[in-house]
Each structure stands twice: as C-alpha cells, then as structure tokens.
C-alpha cells in the first residue's frame, strides 16, 4: 500500500508563486496557538489529509503550516498556528479580511481511501493533533467506511489542549473510543488522566493487530515510545504511519533544510509508512 503522493491537483501554475488567500475567521485556542480559516478566491485548495502549505506575509517571511481541515469545495481551509517567531507573530496579528500568500498544498498525505475497511488507531500529541485532525474528521464523516476508530490525544498540560469542543464531542460518541491525557497538572484544574500518552495504552480494549493501522503525529520524542507500545500490541511496521514535519522550509525540496539521508521530508513526506524509514538514521 503506497502513501499518496503530493501532486498538486489544483492546476496552480507555479510552485513558487503564492496565491492570495483571505483570512475569514480567527480564534485563540491556547496562550500561543490560534485557529485560522483562510479562503482562496478562485478555487478550492485541493489538499489531502496531512498535507501542508507555505504561508507568506509580504515583507516578513514565509513558513510551512499543516492543514487541519479535510478537503472542502467551498475554497476554505483551516490551520492552527503556534506563535514562536517573527512570521507566526505576524500571522497572529492578522484580522479577518486581511490577506496572505499561499503556496501548495505540498507533501504526501494519509492514505485514508486505502485504509477503508480497516480499524484506525490515531495517536496524537500536542500540536500534532492539527494535521491528524484532517484525517480524523474525514474518518468520522465517513464512519461506516472504517471498523473500530480509536483516538488518543495527549498534551503537556490542560492549558495546551486544542479543539476542546471537538474533544468533548468525541468523548461522548459511542461509535469511537477517545482517550485523553496530560503530562502534568500542577494547579488541580484537570480531573482526567495524567501521564505521557503511552500510559493510555494499557487502558485500550483489545485491538486486532492484523486489522488495524496506527497513525502517529506528535513531538519527536513521542514516536519512539509510541512505536514500542505498538510493537507490544504486535502491530507491524507496515501498519504504522507517521508524519515527520521536521525542519521543513521551502516545501519543494530545494533548500535541503528537511533532508534525512536521501529523503526530503517536504517532498517525500511528511507522511511515511514507518517500515519505509525505520532504518534511516535520525528519522525517528
């Protein structure tokens, strides 16, 4: 089974020429993360689940960001952007009606069509929920196409939780399993599970390792330990899918910023089957 390639299906004339997109909605999610909805003027973005775009602010700079919404036909797409530098600070200062430059979509995507008929185990950490959300929402919107769906989400503390309304809705659904944890809570405001995300695994009901695909998106430190837990469940490397949004910059494999051995994460990834990269040094 192959990862979907990042072919731009939109007919955009240039990989290097940004198109104008308008900010139509903006909401704060945490003290550093905000939710943005953008809209292209003349076409849908044409992205797939787990892809990213390059967003530019004239005079400031450009950076890659994951798309958090599944594909739509109304020309809109959603992102959650963490304020960590000059470009992201400029994006956070935008107001609805302001415009930005968009290149893309770029990269490989979660093979959601190929996974139909199987069970899905999403393991997401922190802002890794953002790209995973596009695949999760697609699976939930097409619930009958998949067997068991399990979603695990963990973050550093309760103040870092994203999409809290959706997390609450997932926790009450009877047709999926949703579990959540925080690494720590020192102010007593959290009465849920406390511990790193792998501490949720003993609470999972029996998962058929021959019929389940695991999708992992989170901070680099999470992957090794989650994969060890998946191996304990006898899920094979061919059924583990990871997203490695590591050090991406140009989006078109020219700058070499995201190179891992012979792979460019922005072009050959960011979505990989673990079996294809497990022998690459520094991949995980």
């Amino acid at each position: 089974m192959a990862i979907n390639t990042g072919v731009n299906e939109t007919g955009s004339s240039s990989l290097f020429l940004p198109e104008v997109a308008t900010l139509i909605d903006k909401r704060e999610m945490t003290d550093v993360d905000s939710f943005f909805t953008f809209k292209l003027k003349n076409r849908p973005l044409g992205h797939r689940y787990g892809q990213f775009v390059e967003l530019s602010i004239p005079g400031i700079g450009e950076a890659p960001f994951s798309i958090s919404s599944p594909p739509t036909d109304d020309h809109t797409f959603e992102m959650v952007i963490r304020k960590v530098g000059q470009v992201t600070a400029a994006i956070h200062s935008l107001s609805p009606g302001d415009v930005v430059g968009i290149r893309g979509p770029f990269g490989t995507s979660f093979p959601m069509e190929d996974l139909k008929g199987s069970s899905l185990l999403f393991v997401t950490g922190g802002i890794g929920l953002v790209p995973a959300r596009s695949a999760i929402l697609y699976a939930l919107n097409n619930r009958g196409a998949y067997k068991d769906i399990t979603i695990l989400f963990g973050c550093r503390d309760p103040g870092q939780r994203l999409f809290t309304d959706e997390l609450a809705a997932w926790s009450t659904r009877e047709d999926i399993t949703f579990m959540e944890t925080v690494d720590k809570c020192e102010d007593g405001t959290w009465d849920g599970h406390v511990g790193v995300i792998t501490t949720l695994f003993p609470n999972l009901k029996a998962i058929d390792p021959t019929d389940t695909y695991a999708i992992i998106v989170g901070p680099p430190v999470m992957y090794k330990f989650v994969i060890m837990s998946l191996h304990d469940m006898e899920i094979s490397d061919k059924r583990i899918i990871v997203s490695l949004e590591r050090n991406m910059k140009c989006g078109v494999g020219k700058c070499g910023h995201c190179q891992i051995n012979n792979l460019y994460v922005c072009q050959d990834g960011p979505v990989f089957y673990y079996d294809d990269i497990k022998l690459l040094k520094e991949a995980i």
Side-chain angles (χ1 to χ4, degrees):
M1 192 177 294
I3 291 293
N4 294 325
T5 60
V7 175
N8 189 330
E9 300 173 346
T10 63
S12 179
S13 59
S14 172
L15 293 174
F16 305 98
L17 183 63
E19 295 181 68
V20 173
T22 302
L23 175 62
I24 62 174
D25 187 30
K26 172 187 172 186
R27 287 176 279 144
E28 289 186 2
M29 280 194 160
T30 72
D31 56 349
V32 292
D33 302 305
S34 288
F35 174 88
F36 298 85
T37 303
F38 292 98
K39 184 174 186 177
L40 289 174
K41 182 178 180 180
N42 296 318
R43 64 173 179 90
L45 181 61
H47 66 286
R48 299 189 66 79
Y49 328 98
Q51 287 191 296
F52 68 97
V53 294
E54 296 281 344
L55 190 156
S56 58
I57 303 289
I60 302 296
E62 181 185 67
F65 298 101
S66 299
I67 306 158
S68 66
S69 52
T72 66
D73 293 325
D74 66 357
H75 299 194
T76 65
F77 55 97
E78 300 167 350
M79 294 187 285
V80 172
I81 296 174
R82 176 163 292 177
K83 186 164 61 175
V84 293
Q86 188 176 23
V87 174
T88 53
I91 297 170
H92 274 243
S93 71
L94 297 174
S95 300
D98 290 340
V99 298
V100 299
I102 293 290
R103 292 191 298 120
F106 295 121
T108 56
S109 61
F110 300 114
M112 299 307 294
E113 297 291 336
D114 295 338
L115 303 186
K116 287 182 175 177
S118 300
S119 296
L120 304 177
L121 169 59
F122 293 95
V123 186
T124 64
I127 203 166
L129 180 60
V130 174
R133 176 178 176 260
S134 63
I136 291 171
L137 293 184
Y138 177 80
L140 297 182
N141 291 339
N142 296 273
R143 182 64 189 88
Y146 301 94
K147 295 181 179 176
D148 295 336
I149 295 179
T150 302
I151 305 168
L152 307 182
F153 172 62
C155 59
R156 189 172 65 245
D157 58 61
Q160 303 304 308
R161 297 172 71 229
L162 303 173
F163 304 106
T164 53
D165 291 346
E166 293 177 21
L167 300 184
W170 296 349
S171 69
T172 62
R173 286 185 64 146
E174 296 182 351
D175 61 341
I176 66 172
T177 299
F178 173 70
M179 296 183 186
E180 186 178 4
T181 187
V182 298
D183 292 351
K184 61 181 180 181
C185 179
E186 298 174 346
D187 60 7
T189 58
W190 173 254
D191 59 2
H193 189 92
V194 177
V196 296
I197 197 163
T198 50
T199 62
L200 293 175
F201 279 73
N203 300 323
L204 290 174
K205 64 179 182 180
I207 285 179
D208 181 356
T210 67
D211 196 34
T212 299
Y213 284 89
I215 294 175
I216 311 171
V217 195
V221 68
M222 190 184 87
Y223 288 81
K224 175 182 176 181
F225 297 101
V226 168
I227 289 170
M228 290 171 62
S229 295
L230 296 175
H231 286 167
D232 290 341
M233 298 164 64
E234 299 183 344
I235 294 180
S236 77
D237 294 341
K238 294 181 183 297
R239 288 182 171 272
I240 297 174
I241 300 168
V242 299
S243 179
L244 304 179
E245 298 181 334
R246 178 178 300 176
N247 298 328
M248 294 192 303
K249 188 173 178 65
C250 71
V252 293
K254 298 297 183 184
C255 72
H257 208 257
C258 64
Q259 186 173 5
I260 303 175
N261 293 276
N262 61 327
L263 297 180
Y264 291 90
V265 174
C266 69
Q267 288 287 288
D268 300 304
V271 177
F272 298 93
Y273 278 95
Y274 177 60
D275 194 53
D276 293 333
I277 61 165
K278 64 183 179 182
L279 299 181
L280 295 179
K281 291 182 178 179
E282 301 181 1
I284 297 293

